[in-house]
Amino acid sequence: MKIPKRLLILQRLTEHLECLVPANGYEHNLSGRVSRGRVVIGDEHVRTSTDPIISILESPRPDLASYTGEWGEMRKDNWTLLLQGLVRDDPLNPTDPAYRLVAEVELHLSRLVAARTETGKPLYPNEHLLGGVITSLEIAAPVVRPPEKGVSNTAFFYLPLRVGIAGNIGQPYADL
């Protein structure tokens, strides 16, 4: 089956984030709680469960473009993704749960690029660069917000990621 490279990246990122579970040493449980491309997440998803929910979104504005043409079939892109996390509020300090979740998400994402200092080899080879489908991963500072009318009825965060992708424009599908 053919699968576009970018969709494969999103699927693998989803799988990776869904491994953020208590059995792996985390406070939160994202198993079955990560979706792709959902801008609007209803209150029922957060209010009916103590578990948070994450949506992987493509940035509305692309990074600086890298063009290719007649003499250059290869292109190296930086693809900006946004992780949006929604949590159940703490009544006194609504954003505290969002700070705890985003810290664990950052820690879990760091596994994708973690390397042994003495050798430079991946610390988690099976997870490294999503199994080799990306060329790099950069994680920006998160933005944590309290509930906002018209945005979210619960506290939430955005975590920007920049994913490196290299490939031939004549081969938009992943080699599986």
Side-chain angles (χ1 to χ4, degrees), residues 27-84:
E27 171 188 346
H28 297 92
N29 182 3
L30 291 182
S31 179
R33 306 285 295 168
V34 180
S35 63
R36 297 181 292 278
R38 291 187 63 190
V39 175
V40 177
I41 300 172
D43 286 345
E44 68 278 2
H45 292 289
V46 177
R47 299 229 183 259
T48 59
S49 173
T50 57
D51 295 325
I53 190 164
I54 302 276
S55 181
I56 304 170
L57 305 168
E58 188 165 346
S59 172
R61 290 174 200 77
D63 209 14
L64 293 177
S66 171
Y67 295 94
T68 186
E70 183 178 0
W71 296 104
E73 294 179 6
M74 296 300 288
R75 181 174 69 207
K76 183 174 188 277
D77 295 330
N78 286 312
W79 188 25
T80 303
L81 301 174
L82 299 172
L83 299 186
Q84 178 186 23

Side-chain angles (χ1 to χ4, degrees), residues 53-137:
I53 190 164
I54 302 276
S55 181
I56 304 170
L57 305 168
E58 188 165 346
S59 172
R61 290 174 200 77
D63 209 14
L64 293 177
S66 171
Y67 295 94
T68 186
E70 183 178 0
W71 296 104
E73 294 179 6
M74 296 300 288
R75 181 174 69 207
K76 183 174 188 277
D77 295 330
N78 286 312
W79 188 25
T80 303
L81 301 174
L82 299 172
L83 299 186
Q84 178 186 23
L86 287 91
V87 297
R88 183 180 277 187
D89 295 337
D90 173 302
L92 183 58
N93 300 295
T95 58
D96 286 6
Y99 281 109
R100 284 194 288 279
L101 176 60
V102 77
E104 284 197 332
V105 169
E106 286 184 284
L107 178 63
H108 192 61
L109 287 171
S110 73
R111 295 172 64 95
L112 298 175
V113 293
R116 298 183 185 283
T117 54
E118 60 278 358
T119 63
K121 291 186 179 186
L123 195 55
Y124 307 99
N126 294 334
E127 299 172 53
H128 189 254
L129 297 177
L130 294 173
V133 297
I134 61 175
T135 59
S136 62
L137 175 69

Side-chain angles (χ1 to χ4, degrees), residues 3-16:
I3 184 167
K5 288 178 186 176
R6 289 176 187 249
L7 178 55
L8 177 63
I9 291 167
L10 292 174
Q11 289 173 340
R12 289 203 179 164
L13 182 57
T14 300
E15 291 169 7
H16 180 76

